[in-house]
Amino acid sequence: MILHSRVYATQCFTSTGTETIGESYMMDMQGSPFTFSATRNKFIAIGCDTIAQMSDPLYDNFMSGCTSKCGDMGNVRNGSCSGIGCCETSIPFNLKFFMLTLGSMANHTENWESNPCSYAFLADQDWFTFKYSDLSAGSFVNSTIPLVMDWVIGNQSCEVAVRDTHSYACGPNSNCSNSINGAGYQCFCKDGFEGNPYVPQGCQDINECEKGYNNSCYESAICTNTYGSYNCSCPHGYNGDGQVNGTHCTRDPKSTPLMSIIVGTGLSIIFLLVCIYFFYWGIKRRRDIKLREKFFQQNGGLLLQQQIASNQGVAEIAKIFTIKELKMATNNFHESRILGKGGHGTVYQGILSDGKVVATKISNIMDEGQIIEFINEVDILSQINHRNVVRLLGCCLETEVPMLVYEFISNGTLFERIHDRNAAYISWGTRLRVATETAGALAYLHSAHSTPILHRDIKSANILLDDDFTAKIADFGASRLVPLEQTQMTTLVQGTLGYLDPECLHTGLLTEKSDVYSFGVVLAELLTGKMSLILEGSGERKALAMYFVSSMENNNLLQILDVRIVSERNREELLVVAELARICLNVKGKDRPTMKEVAIELERTWSQHKSDEPSTSFNINATAQENLRDSSTINASCQESLGASGFLSLQIGR
């Protein structure tokens, strides 16, 4: 039986360690036929500074408990109740009364923000699954907790109870079973019967031969129901016992002529069906070939061939995949293989026949004008050879919607690592290296490549991370090749809100400084941990770029930095990168640095970071708090650091 209740103990503290709530709880089932099931219930405690006890203070029969502690909140795992954030233990048999109490080692002062309260309760072990969010305050307020209760008849064993025909509770066609949770017994219907074993004639015969019931008769055998059981037999003209695990039903030799007629007719029908199938398959195959040829031309296959012919080396890099290969690799493009969806298409994870893991991008349905964008992405990626740009392996043009096949990048996107609360934290050093690698790749696209390439959609969601957290720029669907003699070009505005260059948005003129602005937003994300569009209390969204620049102009840099990175690096690196982000976010493109200048400054900062001794690391302690109390000091230090580094050539100023 399931009993629903609000039985749990609670203990909460303030940030200074003062107890605000301290409630124990007890539950008494004495005098009833019910006991708390020892096999179905668990004693569970939740908290990061929690000592939980379960006892029987009236009779001092038992005391049990467990301890939960979170030395590092990053070690808390959903679904794990082994002592980090959650602990559990079993309860004794024949339990009718218990009390729950809670204690603490440090009054939750070490992790109050993440876990101000502890909870302890007895619950059905199949009901509760621990989640990180259970540690927050109020997570169990008004919660209804199911308990599994055992109940038995009397306090006698089956051997004793069956002797008293007046009090014995089990009816006909039932069996008696001794309780495993204390004294008493229970009744169950015998095999072949179902119903209520506690009433006269409550256990009724089951017709195992009806549809939906399991029986051991062979598929072609005849099932005959009997009282409490059933029999299997073979149909007329067959020999055997009809049991699946016995002798199967086999044809009686005397019925061979009839069997020959049946077999002959069956073979003729099969032959006719095979002929029809091959005829249909031939027509369908020719139709599929024509359809694939149509899609190949429709998806720009001829244009791609011209691009390959005009760019030596492309044919060696890009491979033309068949749709059959990609369906096998992605389990027919199953939803479980989806890695992400974006403005230019959906990406699936796949495994090729040679074991190589790839990412297959299916572009959104395109009109004829958008085919140029697709071929443009193939052409651009085929010409790029840089360790920080995702590598194109090939494409497929045999379907209505064209596909691209990339190398698989295993660690997700920079956006997920910064903004997903369940993702592992990345340090300032890793963030600085990712920014340096991304800037270097963009500088290569803008200046080192034979024909300048503008990405046009730089954002943290388009920066992938591999196993070593090496940055890989992805999604070139909106990119453009710019002839060397042109410094700017007029184009339709494309990109993502929060990252769009305001000057390009206003004039429609695209330059390499548009990518610089978008990269400045990414730097602001790395420094603050905030998204490109910030949701305010009124429900309106504000651009991170404006918020970041305004905060620096008002000497409020310290207040907006991500506290997790401020505590682990010296302030000079943070100040240099913050000022670099600010000048990248200048409204006028001519006031922004080039990506090459940005890459050089980040490379210098990264080199200094790698060479720093541990003693120079910047930790939030009493001295550091005093030094950083006046944010105007930060701005002055920033100007001084940038001047000393020779970065004044980028025309820093307001």
Side-chain angles (χ1 to χ4, degrees):
M1 185 185 79
I2 303 296
L3 174 65
H4 293 275
S5 65
R6 292 189 174 92
V7 182
Y8 59 89
T10 312
Q11 187 179 42
C12 296
F13 297 90
T14 65
S15 59
T16 60
T18 302
E19 184 176 358
T20 59
I21 299 176
E23 296 183 357
S24 301
Y25 207 98
M26 65 176 62
M27 193 167 185
D28 189 358
M29 300 302 292
Q30 297 181 98
S32 74
F34 300 104
T35 57
F36 301 100
S37 175
T39 58
R40 293 284 304 280
N41 294 317
K42 286 285 187 181
F43 174 53
I44 301 168
I46 298 172
C48 284
D49 183 13
T50 302
I51 302 173
Q53 287 187 341
M54 181 180 184
S55 61
D56 181 358
L58 292 181
Y59 302 101
D60 198 22
N61 285 331
F62 83 99
M63 177 176 288
S64 180
C66 65
T67 301
S68 175
K69 184 173 178 62
C70 308
D72 183 353
M73 296 302 295
N75 292 330
V76 179
R77 293 289 182 268
N78 289 338
S80 174
C81 197
S82 57
I84 303 178
C86 175
C87 64
E88 64 180 21
T89 187
S90 57
I91 65 173
F93 287 96
N94 201 25
L95 180 65
K96 285 181 171 289
F97 177 83
F98 67 83
M99 173 177 282
L100 307 179
T101 56
L102 285 167
S104 177
M105 292 170 280
N107 293 351
H108 286 242
T109 55
E110 296 177 357
N111 40 35
W112 180 84
E113 290 187 359
S114 300
N115 175 230
C117 300
S118 294
Y119 303 93
F121 53 88
L122 186 66
D124 182 352
Q125 62 184 8
D126 296 330
W127 167 78
F128 178 74
T129 301
F130 174 66
K131 302 182 295 297
Y132 187 96
S133 58
D134 292 335
L135 296 174
S136 61
S139 61
F140 275 82
V141 175
N142 298 324
S143 294
T144 299
I145 302 175
L147 282 169
V148 180
M149 309 298 297
D150 290 340
W151 68 279
V152 294
I153 304 296
N155 57 7
Q156 298 175 320
S157 66
C158 291
E159 293 75 14
V160 175
V162 72
R163 299 172 188 167
D164 189 345
T165 57
H166 295 289
S167 63
Y168 184 57
C170 297
N173 301 317
S174 66
N175 291 324
C176 179
S177 176
N178 290 324
S179 170
I180 62 172
N181 194 11
Y185 65 92
Q186 292 178 313
C187 304
F188 303 91
C189 288
K190 294 180 178 179
D191 291 341
F193 295 88
E194 63 182 2
N196 186 348
Y198 297 101
V199 299
Q201 308 304 320
C203 293
Q204 298 294 318
D205 173 55
I206 299 173
N207 186 354
E208 293 88 351
C209 297
E210 288 184 351
K211 185 177 181 180
Y213 286 95
N214 293 326
N215 59 65
S216 61
C217 294
Y218 191 63
E219 185 176 355
S220 61
I222 299 173
C223 178
T224 304
N225 185 62
T226 61
Y227 190 67
S229 186
Y230 62 94
N231 292 324
C232 302
S233 60
C234 291
H236 179 71
Y238 288 81
N239 296 326
D241 60 11
Q243 296 281 347
V244 171
N245 297 323
T247 305
H248 294 180
C249 297
T250 58
R251 166 64 66 177
D252 190 331
K254 296 179 181 179
S255 61
T256 300
L258 178 61
M259 177 61 70
S260 300
I261 296 173
I262 296 174
V263 171
T265 304
L267 290 176
S268 299
I269 294 174
I270 292 174
F271 177 76
L272 180 61
L273 292 175
V274 169
C275 292
I276 294 174
Y277 170 77
F278 277 105
F279 179 74
Y280 170 77
W281 180 81
I283 295 177
K284 185 177 183 300
R285 184 171 179 272
R286 286 193 294 271
R287 185 183 302 165
D288 289 344
I289 292 174
K290 290 182 179 180
L291 189 60
R292 287 198 296 269
E293 292 175 350
K294 173 188 173 183
F295 286 145
F296 183 81
Q297 296 182 13
Q298 177 180 302
N299 291 329
L302 298 179
L303 179 59
L304 181 60
Q305 287 177 337
Q306 294 174 3
Q307 297 279 15
I308 292 175
S310 61
N311 293 281
Q312 295 298 324
V314 175
E316 299 177 1
I317 298 175
K319 174 186 175 182
I320 303 298
F321 290 91
T322 65
I323 184 60
K324 181 179 180 181
E325 288 179 291
L326 297 186
K327 281 185 175 181
M328 291 180 61
T330 60
N331 192 18
N332 202 22
F333 301 103
H334 195 271
E335 288 185 359
S336 62
R337 295 294 187 92
I338 294 178
L339 295 174
K341 295 183 179 181
H344 301 286
T346 303
V347 181
Y348 294 83
Q349 180 181 352
I351 303 176
L352 300 179
S353 57
D354 61 359
K356 181 181 294 184
V357 183
V358 298
T360 301
K361 174 182 174 183
I362 301 181
S363 300
N364 294 329
I365 295 178
M366 303 183 300
D367 56 34
E368 187 174 347
Q370 291 175 309
I371 291 175
I372 304 300
E373 287 191 4
F374 171 75
I375 300 304
N376 185 53
E377 182 167 7
V378 176
D379 184 41
I380 291 173
L381 287 179
S382 298
Q383 297 180 53
I384 296 174
N385 183 19
H386 194 280
R387 69 186 296 270
N388 298 119
V389 176
V390 66
R391 186 162 64 92
L392 176 69
L393 302 179
C395 62
C396 176
L397 306 175
E398 295 181 351
T399 57
E400 182 179 3
V401 180
M403 305 178 192
L404 289 174
V405 181
Y406 302 94
E407 63 174 324
F408 175 69
I409 310 301
S410 58
N411 243 338
T413 67
L414 179 62
F415 179 90
E416 295 167 344
R417 290 292 175 178
I418 299 175
H419 304 302
D420 188 347
R421 295 182 61 185
N422 295 324
Y425 159 71
I426 58 174
S427 66
W428 166 244
T430 301
R431 298 187 192 198
L432 180 58
R433 178 167 59 82
V434 168
T436 304
E437 292 171 344
T438 304
L442 287 173
Y444 165 81
L445 295 175
H446 286 185
S447 56
H449 194 259
S450 58
T451 303
I453 298 173
L454 306 185
H455 189 283
R456 298 211 304 170
D457 197 16
I458 290 297
K459 57 184 177 180
S460 56
N462 282 342
I463 300 174
L464 308 183
L465 302 174
D466 67 7
D467 290 334
D468 299 322
F469 285 89
T470 299
K472 301 274 188 177
I473 299 178
D475 202 342
F476 283 75
S479 303
R480 284 292 180 271
L481 292 170
V482 181
L484 291 174
E485 63 272 11
Q486 293 187 17
T487 59
Q488 61 187 22
M489 59 188 297
T490 304
T491 179
L492 291 176
V493 176
Q494 296 190 38
T496 303
L497 288 178
Y499 298 89
L500 284 172
D501 175 8
E503 187 175 60
C504 178
L505 191 64
H506 178 69
T507 64
L509 295 177
L510 176 68
T511 69
E512 65 175 26
K513 298 298 183 70
S514 299
D515 282 351
V516 174
Y517 183 89
S518 300
F519 181 74
V521 179
V522 174
L523 286 180
E525 285 184 85
L526 289 169
L527 288 165
T528 65
K530 300 181 183 299
M531 294 188 182
S532 61
L533 292 176
I534 304 172
L535 183 63
E536 296 184 322
S538 62
E540 296 182 355
R541 292 185 180 272
K542 178 171 63 177
L544 173 61
M546 296 176 58
Y547 173 72
F548 184 85
V549 171
S550 173
S551 297
M552 289 197 67
E553 290 175 349
N554 294 326
N555 296 324
N556 290 329
L557 176 61
L558 180 62
Q559 284 73 19
I560 66 172
L561 290 179
D562 189 337
V563 295
R564 297 177 298 179
I565 63 172
V566 174
S567 66
E568 67 178 58
R569 292 301 304 166
N570 61 59
R571 68 179 181 181
E572 179 181 347
E573 295 174 4
L574 296 171
L575 301 176
V576 169
V577 177
E579 183 64 17
L580 183 59
R582 187 188 70 79
I583 64 173
C584 287
L585 295 174
N586 274 319
V587 175
K588 294 183 179 180
K590 64 183 181 64
D591 294 332
R592 302 172 200 154
T594 64
M595 278 311 308
K596 185 174 182 180
E597 291 171 323
V598 174
I600 291 173
E601 181 61 20
L602 284 174
E603 182 63 39
R604 184 199 65 78
T605 307
W606 169 240
S607 298
Q608 180 181 348
H609 173 89
K610 290 191 294 183
S611 63
D612 280 348
E613 296 296 330
S615 60
T616 64
S617 62
F618 177 54
N619 297 315
I620 294 181
N621 50 35
T623 303
Q625 293 283 9
E626 183 67 27
N627 291 338
L628 294 177
R629 183 169 299 163
D630 184 0
S631 60
S632 63
T633 304
I634 293 179
N635 191 52
S637 300
C638 181
Q639 296 287 354
E640 180 182 345
S641 300
L642 292 172
S645 70
F647 196 47
L648 291 176
S649 60
L650 298 186
Q651 297 181 350
I652 299 173
R654 298 174 186 164

